[in-house]
Amino acid sequence: MGAAGRDFHVFNTYFRNNEQYEVVAFTATQIPNIEGRKYPSDLAGDLYRDGIPIYPEEQLESLIKDLNIHEVVFAYSDVSHEEVMHKASRALSAGADFKLLGPKSTMLKSTKPVVSVCAVRTGVGKSQTTRKVCKVLKDMGKKVVAVRHPMPYGDLSKQICQRFASYEDLDFHKCTIEEREEYEPHIDMGIVVYAGVDYEVILREAEKEADIIVWDGGNNDFPFYRSDLHIVLVDPHRPGHEMKYHPGETNLRMADVLVINKIDTASPEGIDAVRKSIEAVNPNAMVVEAASPIFVEDPEKIKGKRVLVIEDGPTLTHGEMTYGAGYVAAKKYGASEIVDPRKYSVGSIKDTYEKYKHLSLILPAMGYGEEQMRELQETINNCDCDTVIIGTPIDLTRIIKINKPAVRVKYRLQEIGEPTLEQILKRFE
């Protein structure tokens, strides 16, 4: 059971050449347009010359019955513990065993040092933290290569191992908005990024040009590589989630370093709650306190204006946040009104609002394919507003034609007090 990420990695590392098992199906959820395809034979290996079909997760019970499935392996992230057990109950009630595979079964060992950056929930601030880690290591004279958690939403056979060093690489690989959000900031810093489907192949290629590998985690998943220093972010805006979501709690307990981010905007009660969780389950971890201050280059485009706010998609959808950096910027710089985008939405963007009922005044930057990007563009251009505030980490205007003034929100990690990540990384060296 997966979402085009850990599921493929679990298969590749544990099941691909394992003759004790016959893998008869993947199921897919969270990400559109994954089901109905096959995990291709060139990735599946010699035991699976015809590939492996991918079905919608909704068919789980019928698949267990029709394909005589004995074992169901759960392999995706950012799901509440309760929801994981609901899925376990579905598998068990249909007669199958339910299984989770952990680090020893799925983590690959690198010949180079690995620093990983992960989180307890998506939308905590991994991206700016990873950028900070890369910058510190680069300033220390290290050749840094980032390996990003998978986002293979296109032709899997063409995405076995991808290398990104320029914007032209993003265009060549036909990257989705979500992919660009993660890759562009690294490219802007002169950091090479690898991603794809087969993380053994990716690791061996990355090792050829790296002194240190930085694992750039996705959602709240734990790393695919064995880490020498495991950095995990917790979110005081969602206190308690660090103990309630899978596999975020795994990250919390495994961490060498825990970063309490957003302390400048979180409540004292939220900060205190996450500190108590840390003390309860991982008291030996080093704790860094940090903020992620925002800034815009053209605040006059916001002040007194009616604005449309666009935010990172996964943070709003399965991340369950109701706002992000763009919303904070709208309030900070004095927008007169935040326009509700729902009545202007079309196609799959409209469907997103139907699925995620907690969303209202914010437009998630959904763009998992060319058609959805067109629908996002149409939704934006339909909106009756003065300014578009772009809260995603990329320049959305490079790939979408926006018919009104737009302003980008930028943010960076800023540690408060000591220890700082630089102090920790120098000690790690």
Side-chain angles (χ1 to χ4, degrees):
M1 299 178 69
R6 172 161 288 279
D7 51 344
F8 298 158
H9 179 68
V10 166
F11 173 82
N12 293 341
T13 53
Y14 191 83
F15 291 102
R16 179 160 53 193
N17 299 311
N18 192 337
E19 295 184 352
Q20 293 181 326
Y21 294 89
E22 179 189 359
V23 177
V24 296
F26 288 90
T27 61
T29 189
Q30 289 186 345
I31 309 300
N33 306 319
I34 301 299
E35 69 270 10
R37 300 190 292 168
K38 279 191 174 184
Y39 194 64
S41 57
D42 51 352
L43 275 159
D46 291 341
L47 299 178
Y48 301 93
R49 296 297 179 90
D50 295 325
I52 304 169
I54 305 172
Y55 298 93
E57 188 181 284
E58 290 80 8
Q59 297 179 16
L60 178 65
E61 288 86 350
S62 61
L63 290 171
I64 291 171
K65 178 182 178 182
D66 296 342
L67 301 177
N68 190 29
I69 289 169
H70 297 90
E71 221 171 71
V72 173
V73 180
F74 184 86
Y76 62 97
S77 54
D78 218 28
V79 186
S80 72
H81 290 332
E82 183 178 13
E83 184 64 21
V84 173
M85 287 312 300
H86 284 313
K87 296 179 190 301
S89 297
R90 290 176 60 191
L92 298 176
S93 65
D97 296 337
F98 189 82
K99 189 173 185 176
L100 298 167
L101 293 182
K104 286 186 178 180
S105 296
T106 61
M107 277 187 180
L108 300 167
K109 174 64 177 172
S110 177
T111 61
K112 301 292 178 70
V114 175
V115 176
S116 57
V117 181
C118 298
V120 299
R121 289 299 313 273
T122 194
V124 183
K126 291 187 304 296
S127 297
Q128 58 263 43
T129 305
T130 304
R131 293 197 297 271
K132 180 64 177 281
V133 167
C134 289
K135 183 180 186 303
V136 170
L137 292 171
K138 192 176 179 182
D139 290 346
M140 290 165 57
K142 303 296 183 183
K143 176 71 176 189
V144 180
V145 173
V147 178
R148 180 56 170 74
H149 186 275
M151 296 179 285
Y153 307 137
D155 186 329
L156 298 179
S157 295
K158 294 180 180 178
Q159 295 181 300
I160 291 173
C161 177
Q162 298 172 297
R163 182 183 185 274
F164 302 95
S166 68
Y167 281 17
E168 289 73 24
D169 294 333
L170 301 176
D171 296 334
F172 174 79
H173 288 289
K174 299 180 180 179
C175 288
T176 64
I177 288 175
E178 185 182 359
E179 290 171 289
R180 289 174 182 270
E181 286 173 346
E182 302 302 334
Y183 304 154
E184 277 192 20
H186 286 303
I187 292 170
D188 292 340
M189 292 174 57
I191 301 291
V192 171
V193 189
Y194 279 86
V197 184
D198 192 323
Y199 276 77
E200 174 85 41
V201 174
I202 290 166
L203 178 60
R204 303 312 165 205
E205 288 299 313
E207 287 170 341
K208 294 176 182 178
E209 53 180 316
D211 296 323
I212 292 181
I213 305 248
V214 173
W215 173 260
D216 187 356
N219 282 352
N220 66 345
D221 206 354
F222 58 89
F224 291 6
Y225 301 154
R226 202 173 303 166
S227 302
D228 298 284
L229 185 70
H230 187 38
I231 301 169
V232 174
L233 284 93
V234 295
D235 189 356
H237 281 266
R238 290 172 283 183
H241 285 213
E242 66 277 358
M243 299 286 284
K244 294 179 181 177
Y245 281 75
H246 174 79
E249 185 183 342
T250 301
N251 274 324
L252 178 71
R253 293 175 178 270
M254 287 172 55
D256 301 306
V257 180
L258 286 158
V259 179
I260 304 176
N261 194 21
K262 308 178 187 176
I263 68 169
D264 55 328
T265 54
S267 68
E269 294 78 14
I271 296 168
D272 186 55
V274 297
R275 282 184 180 139
K276 287 180 178 177
S277 293
I278 292 169
E279 291 168 4
V281 304
N282 194 352
N284 295 322
M286 292 176 280
V287 177
V288 175
E289 295 188 348
S292 291
I294 66 166
F295 61 95
V296 299
E297 293 179 355
D298 303 302
E300 67 277 4
K301 289 184 178 179
I302 298 176
K303 186 173 178 61
K305 305 293 186 181
R306 299 174 64 252
V307 301
L308 167 67
V309 175
I310 305 173
E311 305 279 20
D312 168 64
T315 298
L316 297 182
T317 54
H318 55 81
E320 301 173 317
M321 288 286 282
T322 57
Y323 64 93
Y327 181 88
V328 173
K331 294 294 186 181
K332 178 179 178 179
Y333 295 107
S336 64
E337 179 188 350
I338 297 176
V339 174
D340 188 341
R342 288 175 292 184
K343 64 182 178 180
Y344 303 105
S345 63
V346 299
S348 63
I349 307 300
K350 188 171 186 178
D351 295 340
T352 299
Y353 285 110
E354 289 295 319
K355 183 176 181 180
Y356 298 99
K357 301 291 188 183
H358 66 282
L359 297 179
S360 57
L361 293 178
I362 308 299
L363 176 62
M366 306 296 285
Y368 288 110
E370 292 183 3
E371 182 178 356
Q372 193 169 53
M373 283 193 272
R374 284 195 296 270
E375 292 168 345
L376 178 65
Q377 175 177 293
E378 185 177 348
T379 298
I380 294 169
N381 292 339
N382 284 345
C383 277
D384 178 16
C385 66
D386 302 315
T387 301
V388 176
I389 299 179
I390 301 172
T392 70
I394 63 167
D395 183 1
L396 203 58
T397 61
R398 283 192 68 250
I399 54 175
I400 286 179
K401 294 179 180 178
I402 297 177
N403 65 359
K404 46 187 73 73
V407 59
R408 288 182 65 190
V409 181
K410 298 181 180 180
Y411 40 89
R412 61 173 64 96
L413 190 82
Q414 178 182 328
E415 299 101 315
I416 298 172
E418 295 184 344
T420 65
L421 288 174
E422 182 175 2
Q423 290 170 337
I424 291 169
L425 289 164
K426 285 183 175 179
R427 196 183 314 165
F428 162 73
E429 183 191 22

